Amino acid sequence: MSWSWFSAELIRTPSAEVEYRVRGDAAYVALHDFVRSDGETTINGANRSTLADVRGKLTFAPIGCSTEGWARFKSRMSSVFAVHLSPPAADRDANDISRIPPSLYFENDNLKVTLLKLQGVLDGSSINDHAYAETLGLLLLWELAHVADPRHSQLNPVRGGLTALQLRRVKEFIGAHISKQIGISELANLVGLSQFYFIRAFKQSVGLSPYQYILSERISVAKELLLKRDLSIAAVALMVGFSDAPQLNRAFLKLTGITPTVFRRESGLC
């Protein structure tokens, strides 16, 4: 799956022997889940590892850096979840991750949790929402920078939040595009702010992150549409920006504690 400035892929393979090489115009961060009986991995032909049990380990390679190797996997399903990052050049708060040195098979709980959340978007276990995925991508950038330099643990303070005009413009845009995918990059560009600054300013003004606000608006509109007997739950899901009924069910249950079907029944429509 791809978003405005990054993409992600989940690769699964059964027991086998494979060779691999990753090199591109984006930075690369991966979460590994495999055990190999033999093999090795290198970054730029220098950093080398023959570690066998790579479950839960992370790899980072900056732009222009190649990762390659081979592995003979043991008898279990093996996987690698990889994210390719090309952060917006104009976003100063995103930090220059090209300066972060390559690192092979390291551990970091915060990065792992964020990657697992993003993996959930791909495998269908989480909500597939553009704003949610972009928020996780930005969080990855910040956490990578923090791993390289702990001084990045404190972001520059946000003073005053969004102006009344900026906030109205953002809310009107969300309302007008509730049936479509809405990206953090779109909203930030709408008010002329970096994505990092926009997320923090919006939350200071509204009390919710942009993603949480969009989700709450989708569910609010969904409630109104669910009161119409002639609309199926699948149709309502598409009308409020979800890809299918299960996505709506998951989000509706998360925010209201009940499913759309139960909501209709309690409203006397079933």
Side-chain angles (χ1 to χ4, degrees):
M1 299 180 71
S2 298
W3 296 271
S4 60
W5 49 270
F6 72 102
S7 63
E9 58 183 344
L10 178 59
I11 304 166
R12 291 192 175 103
T13 179
S15 177
E17 182 171 318
V18 298
E19 294 183 2
Y20 50 88
R21 185 170 189 265
V22 180
R23 182 184 177 90
D25 298 327
Y28 169 85
V29 59
L31 173 62
H32 307 283
D33 182 17
F34 63 81
V35 178
R36 57 188 179 187
S37 57
D38 199 4
E40 68 173 23
T41 307
T42 63
I43 294 183
N44 275 351
N47 295 353
R48 176 177 177 273
S49 176
T50 57
L51 184 67
D53 190 345
V54 195
R55 290 174 294 184
K57 297 293 193 295
L58 304 164
T59 291
F60 173 77
I63 296 173
C65 198
S66 64
T67 302
E68 56 189 283
W70 68 277
R72 183 180 300 122
F73 299 116
K74 290 190 174 181
S75 55
R76 66 184 299 271
M77 182 62 70
S78 302
S79 70
V80 176
F81 176 64
V83 180
H84 305 270
L85 298 160
S86 298
D91 199 334
R92 294 180 180 179
D93 287 326
N95 302 302
D96 187 1
I97 59 173
S98 64
R99 297 182 181 180
I100 302 174
S103 185
L104 186 59
Y105 301 151
F106 67 98
E107 296 184 5
N108 182 277
D109 289 340
N110 290 334
L111 276 171
K112 182 179 177 179
V113 168
T114 302
L115 285 166
L116 286 172
K117 288 180 179 178
L118 193 52
Q119 181 176 321
V121 175
L122 266 72
D123 64 23
S125 62
S126 182
I127 298 171
N128 180 7
D129 184 275
H130 203 89
Y132 178 56
E134 279 200 334
T135 300
L136 291 175
L138 290 168
L139 184 57
L140 274 181
L141 290 179
W142 182 81
E143 288 173 341
L144 281 167
H146 182 228
V147 169
D149 185 351
R151 290 176 298 176
H152 286 296
S153 60
Q154 296 296 324
L155 294 172
N156 294 328
V158 174
R159 296 183 177 86
L162 298 176
T163 66
L165 177 60
Q166 288 175 323
L167 187 57
R168 183 170 71 250
R169 186 175 297 169
V170 169
K171 287 185 174 181
E172 288 176 351
F173 182 91
I174 293 172
H177 296 81
I178 200 68
S179 65
K180 302 175 182 178
Q181 290 294 318
I182 302 171
I184 298 298
S185 53
E186 287 181 286
L187 300 178
N189 290 336
L190 193 66
V191 292
L193 299 174
S194 74
Q195 295 179 54
F196 266 98
Y197 191 95
F198 170 74
I199 288 176
R200 290 177 286 143
F202 186 92
K203 187 169 186 178
Q204 181 169 325
S205 298
V206 179
L208 298 171
S209 71
Y211 161 68
Q212 291 171 327
Y213 177 80
I214 292 170
L215 191 61
S216 67
E217 288 297 293
R218 293 194 197 282
I219 298 305
S220 178
V221 176
K223 286 181 178 179
E224 296 177 8
L225 295 174
L226 286 168
L227 296 177
K228 300 181 179 181
R229 294 177 180 271
D230 59 327
L231 290 177
S232 67
I233 292 177
V236 171
L238 295 177
M239 293 171 73
V240 296
F242 294 105
S243 58
D244 52 33
Q247 290 284 331
L248 171 60
N249 285 340
R250 189 176 291 115
F252 203 95
L253 180 62
K254 179 179 180 180
L255 266 68
T256 68
I258 59 175
T259 64
T261 300
V262 172
F263 174 80
R264 275 188 156 172
R265 185 183 304 126
E266 292 181 349
S267 301
L269 299 179
C270 294

